[in-house]
Amino acid sequence: MKQTIDRLFENAILEKEAYCDLIINLEKKEYEKELRYLFTKARQMRERYYGNKIYTRGLIEFSNYCKNDCYYCGIRRGNTKAERYRLSPEEILACADEGYRLGFRTIVLQSGEDASYSTDQIGSLVAALKEKHPDIAVTLSLGEREREVYQYWYDCGADRYLLRHETAVKAHYERLHPAELSFEHRIQCLYDLKEIGYQTGAGFMVGSPFQKTEDLAEDILFLKKLSPHMAGIGPFIAQKDSPFAEYPNGTLTQTLILLALVRLTLKNVLLPATTALGTIAPDGREKGILAGANVVMPNLSPVSVRKKYQLYDNKICTGEESAQCRKCLENRVRLAGCELVTDRGDYAETMIAS
Ligand code: 5AD
Ligand code: FES
């Protein structure tokens, strides 16, 4: 197994079967040494491109209204128990100002697919943010839209876009989503975003219902093909009012294995240690960093709405002020032997840290 990990480190792309073998075996107790080796190589790969720097992005979850009904998600339209909220453009700008004051140079605007904000309103918001703070990167995470809309927001100044593909296997996608959602459209959105010029983030859940090992291998191979700038990977966590309430959560170890394999396969990708990872284990994000992650995304939303953006149960960081989250993450990053930096943290195109 060590040899396969070395091959991956040296630049080989593995066959699907080889990824499957690694995913299955590395979770076994008897391969603990090999698992540690995987994490060490993944860390080395991160260090090659980014040194010991961990980038930070301030996340503003500005609306939990959503027109979609994804079976895994707590803010799906069918969840009548979700308490809905929307922040006004002024409130969003105030959160971003607070983020700027705390040192964030990337602001992520995320929401459900909420049609009540028009294309123009979002565009104006992006333009206002960039005008006020020309040195920030604005990341949007607003779901699937038409190409023209993505283009318009890009022209307004948006730099990056996050849209997880959720799973690279159509049959699996269709078990996680109602028929009205199209796997092909989602994948098309990702290619459109890249073509327009966004720094683009894809990603998937680990341990989602009906997921097979091969599906995870396909996720890695799809990411390699798409070659996104970012990859958001976190464990599935059951949400009590969703159709998947009774399904088991993804595991810490399997998520860490996937993070490390994606780091070794995509090399310079920006890879967050996600909030979901910190939710399934108290030191999940530190462990993510030790498995090759290099981004953390503390919450900047007003504390009054945080509990309402419950994609899954027991989400962390819902009681803390923005400044507390930032401090907390700074400490965690240090515990993992790294340094939290506040610059924009763009994708390392060719840069290799010496
Ligand atoms: N568990 C883990 N992640 C989830 N997401 C949505 N619901 C869940 C859940 N129950 C993730 C999806 C989505 C992102 C915003 O949150 O991957 O793209
Ligand atoms: Fe939010 Fe620790 S990161 S409280």
Side-chain angles (χ1 to χ4, degrees):
M1 228 179 308
K2 270 187 154 173
Q3 273 172 351
T4 319
I5 296 169
D6 282 335
R7 276 212 298 133
L8 198 49
F9 189 82
E10 298 312 334
N11 234 351
I13 307 286
L14 304 182
E15 300 288 315
K16 183 171 160 184
E17 291 67 33
Y19 280 114
C20 286
D21 283 347
L22 288 174
I23 297 167
I24 290 169
N25 289 320
L26 286 166
E27 225 180 341
K28 296 182 186 158
K29 192 98 193 105
E30 64 212 84
Y31 292 117
E32 226 180 287
K33 253 188 26 221
E34 284 76 5
L35 182 62
R36 275 207 303 277
Y37 189 69
L38 172 79
F39 294 154
T40 304
K41 296 311 270 187
R43 259 193 323 267
Q44 279 177 15
M45 186 61 80
R46 180 197 67 216
E47 284 160 10
R48 181 190 282 183
Y49 289 95
Y50 297 100
N52 70 345
K53 288 185 179 159
I54 303 295
Y55 297 103
T56 178
R57 284 84 166 84
L59 180 63
I60 304 176
E61 298 157 334
F62 68 85
S63 161
N64 70 351
Y65 281 85
C66 192
K67 69 178 174 63
N68 291 334
D69 216 20
C70 311
Y71 300 142
Y72 44 84
C73 183
I75 64 166
R76 52 197 283 275
R77 69 160 190 266
N79 183 7
T80 51
K81 296 214 173 115
E83 248 185 87
R84 305 288 169 172
Y85 74 92
R86 264 185 198 114
L87 301 183
S88 67
E90 294 69 35
E91 288 171 311
I92 300 170
L93 285 170
C95 286
D97 286 346
E98 165 76 352
Y100 192 86
R101 217 178 43 75
L102 292 170
F104 292 98
R105 293 298 174 265
T106 294
I107 298 292
V108 184
L109 300 181
Q110 186 173 80
S111 71
E113 287 191 25
D114 180 357
S116 84
Y117 299 86
S118 67
T119 300
D120 281 347
Q121 272 175 324
I122 298 287
S124 306
L125 187 60
V126 171
L129 270 171
K130 296 289 283 202
E131 194 182 85
K132 225 168 166 190
H133 307 295
D135 54 337
I136 62 169
V138 173
T139 304
L140 298 177
S141 178
L142 312 177
E144 292 179 43
R145 307 289 162 126
E146 293 312 308
R147 185 180 174 126
E148 298 68 44
V149 175
Y150 287 150
Q151 180 71 56
Y152 177 69
W153 292 339
Y154 186 77
D155 296 339
C156 291
D159 302 278
R160 307 181 185 146
Y161 204 101
L162 307 180
L163 180 72
R164 290 188 179 180
H165 62 282
E166 313 297 359
T167 170
V169 175
K170 182 175 159 76
H172 185 219
Y173 190 90
E174 290 174 349
R175 299 190 79 173
L176 302 181
H177 302 93
E180 71 213 23
L181 285 171
S182 142
F183 174 69
E184 285 80 12
H185 187 256
R186 193 155 191 105
I187 302 297
Q188 187 56 48
C189 284
L190 284 164
Y191 283 101
D192 286 347
L193 287 162
K194 264 200 89 182
E195 252 177 56
I196 290 169
Y198 282 99
Q199 288 184 39
T200 303
F204 59 93
M205 287 179 288
V206 176
S208 59
F210 318 114
Q211 186 176 60
K212 300 196 273 276
T213 307
E214 293 120 86
D215 301 339
L216 287 168
E218 291 289 358
D219 281 318
I220 302 175
L221 292 171
F222 168 72
L223 286 179
K224 185 67 194 172
K225 186 163 131 224
L226 173 71
S227 187
H229 306 85
M230 295 162 273
I233 299 167
F236 161 76
I237 303 176
Q239 202 282 333
K240 61 182 182 339
D241 304 309
S242 74
F244 290 164
E246 303 302 326
Y247 284 85
N249 293 343
T251 66
L252 174 68
T253 305
Q254 194 166 60
T255 308
L256 296 174
I257 292 170
L258 268 295
L259 281 173
L261 290 176
V262 167
R263 165 62 66 210
L264 287 174
T265 307
L266 278 76
K267 322 280 183 210
N268 52 345
V269 74
L270 290 157
L271 197 61
T274 58
T275 306
L277 192 57
T279 298
I280 54 163
D283 55 353
R285 287 169 298 179
E286 293 88 311
K287 290 199 161 128
I289 291 168
L290 292 171
N294 70 329
V295 174
V296 289
M297 298 174 69
N299 204 316
L300 281 182
S301 313
V303 175
S304 56
V305 302
R306 281 195 197 184
K307 281 201 174 31
K308 300 179 186 162
Y309 205 84
Q310 286 276 2
L311 306 176
Y312 45 79
D313 290 345
N314 304 317
K315 189 175 167 208
I316 53 168
C317 300
T318 56
E320 281 77 10
E321 297 287 343
S322 305
Q324 283 176 298
C325 258
R326 189 186 177 298
K327 262 265 154 311
C328 165
L329 272 176
E330 202 170 300
N331 289 333
R332 289 173 187 274
V333 165
R334 204 173 307 123
L335 282 174
C338 290
E339 184 202 354
L340 191 76
V341 294
T342 53
D343 51 283
R344 276 174 52 126
D346 285 300
Y347 179 69
E349 208 73 60
T350 50
M351 178 191 81
I352 295 189
S354 51

